[in-house]
Amino acid sequence: MAVFVIAADVISKSIVVAKMADHPPIRLLGGLLTITLTRNGGAAFSIGTSMTIVFTAIAVGVIVYILRAARNLRSIGWAVALGLLLGGATGNLIDRIFRAPAPFQGHVVDWIELPHWPVFNLADSSICCAGALVVLLALQGIRLDGTKSVPPDNPGPRATAPEARPAESSPAESRAAESRPAESRAAGDER
């Protein structure tokens, strides 16, 4: 999944940079979709444009975490979610490492514009889809290893009915029976 996202993101950005550098935005679907070339030094919605190096470090941390967590994956849903997140984070990290203005401070190429929404790219879309899937998996209680968490208020399996259980004597009853005088036990034997 991650390789597909990275490849689609890198190829689409390369095409847009090559074809749209000196081209006006292209309106498609009656203006519902516009292809336009912008460069973003910050995070989503162009927040923190002066903190590009910080976002680069965060992306590296996310990638390392996902690669470590992947060893415990046994859930298809989590594999897809983390694959989408890994692909998106890596796609934007490639821009930050290799694009202008400087290594590890590069601006991310954004090119998809929808009405009333900031310009984004395929990596951003992948990250958003991963986030939505993570929320769904968490709400269902599915863990990375594929097991399902049990809510703490769940009492667990029902206990068997008292009459269905074998009779057990308590420790106090056992001690009382052992301490009875021998003659009362003997008297019980004569009956």
Side-chain angles (χ1 to χ4, degrees), residues 41-149:
F45 309 109
S46 296
I47 296 170
T49 55
S50 63
M51 300 174 52
T52 304
I53 194 76
V54 173
F55 296 124
T56 302
I58 290 170
V60 169
V62 167
I63 291 168
V64 168
Y65 172 79
I66 292 170
L67 292 175
R68 291 190 62 174
R71 294 181 292 179
N72 300 321
L73 278 177
R74 302 288 181 271
S75 163
I76 293 173
W78 276 104
V80 170
L82 293 181
L84 288 168
L85 185 57
L86 178 63
T90 304
N92 283 340
L93 180 62
I94 290 169
D95 280 3
R96 294 194 189 283
I97 293 173
F98 297 110
R99 293 201 186 271
F104 295 95
Q105 296 179 12
H107 293 179
V108 174
V109 172
D110 289 332
W111 59 274
I112 303 168
E113 184 178 4
L114 300 174
H116 314 293
W117 197 257
V119 182
F120 59 98
N121 58 46
L122 294 181
D124 297 336
S125 298
S126 178
I127 292 168
C128 290
C129 290
L133 188 53
V134 165
V135 169
L136 289 174
L137 291 167
L139 288 174
Q140 291 179 350
I142 300 173
R143 297 181 180 143
L144 288 173
D145 63 2
T147 61
K148 200 164 187 176
S149 62

Side-chain angles (χ1 to χ4, degrees), residues 24-36:
I26 301 171
R27 293 174 51 97
L28 302 169
L29 304 173
L32 182 62
L33 171 67
T34 303
I35 298 175
T36 185

